[in-house]
Amino acid sequence: MGIFGFFSKEKKETLDKGLEKTNENLFSKLGKAIVGKSRVDDDILDELEEILITSDVGVDTTIKIIRRIEERVARDKYVNAAELDLILREEITALLAENNTEDLSDFDLPKEKKPYVIMVVGVNGVGKTTTIGKLAFQFKQAGKSVVLGAADTFRAAAVDQLLLWGERVDVPVISHGMNTDPASVAFDTVKKGVEMNADVVIVDTAGRLHTKVSLMNELGKIKRVMQKFIPEAPHEILLVLDGSTGQNAFIQAKEFTKATEITALGITKLDGTAKGGVVIGISDQFKIPVKYIGVGEKMTDLQVFNRKEFVDSLFKKK
């Protein structure tokens, strides 16, 4: 078992600290909603609905959670108001499980897919390139060989940033510089990965939603050239979203899911926001599993997503 082979106490403490603002927001409001109440009634449910929406869980997902709680209250006849946070934990955990969100504990890869090719998408400013750098670090720490591809050639800073991450983590980066053909970079990156017998290839792509059609064309071309070396590539299309933007992250997810088939989500910057509920809403609305979350600045603060630990931190009592 590697150093990330279990959900360690240190990782849990980092997760608790990263979700502190969301936790405080939820619990302070939830506490006020149930003060003086002996049972869950319509008033509490109305307040809970408002609490979840203001935590950026999203309207549709909030309605779904409230409906489930109403069903439990009706079935159990009497539900103590003090039990509300426990019921919320159970229902949200169950909701995340329905979206194929696994309880991962390690930066592991399918053994039968080598190199495992990850194409990363997302708009500028969400922490996409930083997430790639941190992923490379985590995979390397787990004993994997990594190759990075700087195919976000539209922005010079993205290419330079990825090259810096390559130096920092000590992994090769394939780059043709700015304003070059992204598909050509992807082609050479996958080729290098095959030649090296690398465990994982991670390809950065342009961080702009210029128009859906041109985005689809560009990503389609990148996928086609990858498939010249590995027919089933990319094995994973990871959409990186900034959790602190709340509802704007929903809009980005909507646009990218129209443009290409997203298979996993990485949600960053959860440590600086009270909007951690966005993780629940986006996963539910788009039926895409959350795979990675960013809960701090350090390289080790990018964590594999574990729904049980996440929900526990979200509703953890001080």
Side-chain angles (χ1 to χ4, degrees), residues 238-249:
L238 177 70
L239 172 62
V240 178
L241 299 166
D242 179 349
S244 69
T245 62
Q247 291 304 301
N248 194 38

Side-chain angles (χ1 to χ4, degrees), residues 12-172:
K12 186 61 168 70
E13 286 172 353
T14 301
L15 183 62
D16 288 344
K17 191 171 189 309
L19 294 176
E20 207 166 37
K21 289 186 179 179
T22 302
N23 172 279
E24 288 169 1
N25 183 44
L26 277 168
F27 251 110
S28 63
K29 290 178 180 177
L30 196 57
K32 289 172 187 173
I34 64 174
V35 68
K37 301 271 188 176
S38 61
R39 61 188 299 272
V40 174
D41 57 18
D42 288 343
D43 289 341
I44 285 183
L45 290 174
D46 285 345
E47 289 198 53
L48 177 59
E49 185 174 315
E50 186 179 335
I51 290 165
L52 292 173
I53 289 170
T54 55
S55 296
D56 278 271
V57 171
V59 174
D60 292 340
T61 302
T62 293
I63 291 169
K64 194 180 289 186
I65 292 168
I66 297 296
R67 190 177 296 129
R68 289 181 178 208
I69 293 172
E70 284 174 336
E71 287 169 2
R72 285 185 64 162
V73 170
R75 184 177 67 241
D76 300 341
K77 302 302 179 191
Y78 183 87
V79 176
N80 191 305
E83 297 172 339
L84 189 56
D85 71 304
L86 177 62
I87 295 168
L88 262 175
R89 286 174 188 237
E90 291 174 353
E91 294 303 332
I92 291 171
T93 302
L95 200 66
L96 288 166
E98 289 167 17
N99 305 328
N100 299 314
T101 294
E102 300 176 56
D103 279 341
L104 300 170
S105 60
D106 200 352
F107 284 82
D108 213 350
L109 298 164
K111 290 182 174 62
E112 70 279 4
K113 297 173 182 176
K114 185 177 179 179
Y116 186 78
V117 181
I118 304 172
M119 184 168 82
V120 185
V121 301
V123 301
N124 294 332
V126 297
K128 179 167 58 75
T129 309
T130 298
T131 296
I132 293 169
K134 289 180 177 180
L135 265 179
F137 170 79
Q138 295 281 34
F139 281 128
K140 192 169 181 193
Q141 288 291 302
K144 313 294 183 189
S145 53
V146 186
V147 178
L148 302 181
D152 182 356
T153 60
F154 181 72
R155 195 168 56 99
V159 174
D160 293 343
Q161 191 181 0
L162 200 64
L163 287 167
L164 283 171
W165 270 108
E167 288 178 19
R168 190 176 177 187
V169 181
D170 191 26
V171 298

